[in-house]
Amino acid sequence: MSSVYLGLLHYPIYNKNNETVATAVTNFDIHDIARVARTYDIGRYFIIHPLDSQIELVHEVLGYWRQGYGAQYNPDRHDALSVVETVRTVAECVQTITEEHGKAPLIVTTDARQFANSISYIALRKKMAAEQQPCLLLFGTGWGIERSVMSQADYILEPVLGRGEYNHLSVRSAVSIILDRLLGESWWLRQE
Amino acid sequence: MSSVYLGLLHYPIYNKNNETVATAVTNFDIHDIARVARTYDIGRYFIIHPLDSQIELVHEVLGYWRQGYGAQYNPDRHDALSVVETVRTVAECVQTITEEHGKAPLIVTTDARQFANSISYIALRKKMAAEQQPCLLLFGTGWGIERSVMSQADYILEPVLGRGEYNHLSVRSAVSIILDRLLGESWWLRQE
């Protein structure tokens, strides 16, 4: 089992007015991110939500594709969703990983600003390749992860910079790009 | 205006039984890909569909976010969707770009297999940076772009490789990763 884990946080999250809220789970977050997680061989993709009703919704989707008609209709989707697991809190997520590895994971989050504990993509890529310790990559929904969770992170990844001023990727795009930078092939070393 | 363009093709496309079909436009393809396109400063994001009903659906979504309540509610989304344009065919897409630049674009597609005219990410990245000619990056929906369109491509990009066997990214993830490889910052050159 790979020692890199992914967590998608739905609480505590800022909304656009900077209030702390729980966000709704979306179907595309489940599917798109599970497929990226499988492509980059992530240990598990944790959907983190404190509310029973939202956890049940995720389980309904998973049931359809894992055991229901979806599993026959599209086996690739069945495969992708095998990595998804639900937990209520970041603490429960950390505990699950710790029990599996006998070591607590490094917690790495993402943010649009620079912090004292910011880490570059190349530095984290090398750290992950060394695989001394499991790593939990935590992504936020809504307008970003609340400060209380951010302050628990060992490292904060630098923002993804494109070209120009606009910088509002969907979380699905951000996860895709960041996993490719951290775990993808070294395509830039290829000979032309 | 940037000389790199994006096209999302809905016909002619293979379905899972290798039949040629037109696929349905999805709301997340419009939003997620527009946001990536703006982040990487793409000239325009063409949604290519031959059917009036599907083109009208796209225009309804665009209307809401460009002129309707959505424009006030979320100006970033208004900004992202400003790059979206609809065309009926690849030929119409190529014509629009050619009229703007006075030069026909290079057509680059993606595929999971190697071809005689395959191009590496690093080679295309350098070619784009030189900006001698506009470039149309064409992505497929469904189970991939039909052979008749593939054969018109000047180059076919190598597949995105993750880790392991699974290789079924959503088109939204594939676009995100590929634009980051071709147009993102040179993050691998950063000092740790």
Side-chain angles (χ1 to χ4, degrees), chain B residues 29-151:
Chain B
D29 284 349
I30 304 175
H31 283 272
D32 281 15
I33 296 177
R35 293 165 72 180
V36 184
R38 273 293 285 130
T39 299
Y40 291 90
D41 197 24
I42 293 299
R44 218 166 298 154
Y45 162 32
F46 293 99
I47 294 179
I48 309 171
H49 207 300
L51 292 180
D52 286 346
S53 59
Q54 291 286 299
I55 293 285
E56 279 162 25
L57 190 84
V58 176
H59 287 172
E60 264 179 49
V61 172
L62 296 180
Y64 176 79
W65 291 100
R66 284 179 177 173
Q67 291 102 33
Y69 177 65
Q72 279 171 268
Y73 177 75
N74 191 340
D76 294 332
R77 209 54 73 84
H78 169 260
D79 185 350
L81 294 177
S82 66
V83 301
V84 181
E85 189 164 332
T86 55
V87 288
R88 308 292 164 137
T89 61
V90 175
E92 190 183 332
C93 187
V94 167
Q95 194 191 336
T96 304
I97 300 170
T98 307
E99 282 169 8
E100 202 160 287
H101 284 267
K103 239 184 196 178
L106 276 179
I107 300 178
V108 180
T109 62
T110 54
D111 199 276
R113 293 158 299 173
Q114 285 281 343
F115 288 82
N117 57 345
S118 281
I119 188 169
S120 70
Y121 288 92
I122 195 72
L124 186 58
R125 184 179 169 96
K126 286 180 182 170
K127 202 180 273 294
M128 282 177 166
E131 272 184 272
Q132 305 251 326
Q133 193 177 356
C135 180
L136 171 61
L137 284 171
L138 214 50
F139 289 87
T141 52
W143 267 253
I145 298 174
E146 198 200 51
R147 177 191 294 260
S148 64
V149 177
M150 290 300 286
S151 67

Side-chain angles (χ1 to χ4, degrees), chain A residues 99-146:
Chain A
E99 281 168 8
E100 202 160 286
H101 284 267
K103 239 183 196 177
L106 276 179
I107 300 178
V108 180
T109 61
T110 53
D111 199 275
R113 290 158 301 174
Q114 284 282 342
F115 288 82
N117 57 344
S118 281
I119 188 167
S120 70
Y121 288 92
I122 195 73
L124 186 58
R125 185 178 169 96
K126 286 181 182 170
K127 202 180 274 291
M128 283 177 165
E131 272 185 89
Q132 303 252 326
Q133 193 177 356
C135 180
L136 171 61
L137 284 171
L138 213 51
F139 289 87
T141 52
W143 268 252
I145 299 174
E146 199 199 49

Side-chain angles (χ1 to χ4, degrees), chain A residues 33-45:
Chain A
I33 296 177
R35 293 164 73 181
V36 184
R38 274 293 285 128
T39 300
Y40 291 91
D41 196 24
I42 293 300
R44 217 167 298 152
Y45 163 32

Side-chain angles (χ1 to χ4, degrees), chain A residues 77-92:
Chain A
R77 210 54 72 83
H78 170 260
D79 185 350
L81 293 176
S82 67
V83 301
V84 181
E85 189 166 331
T86 55
V87 289
R88 307 293 163 136
T89 60
V90 174
E92 190 183 333

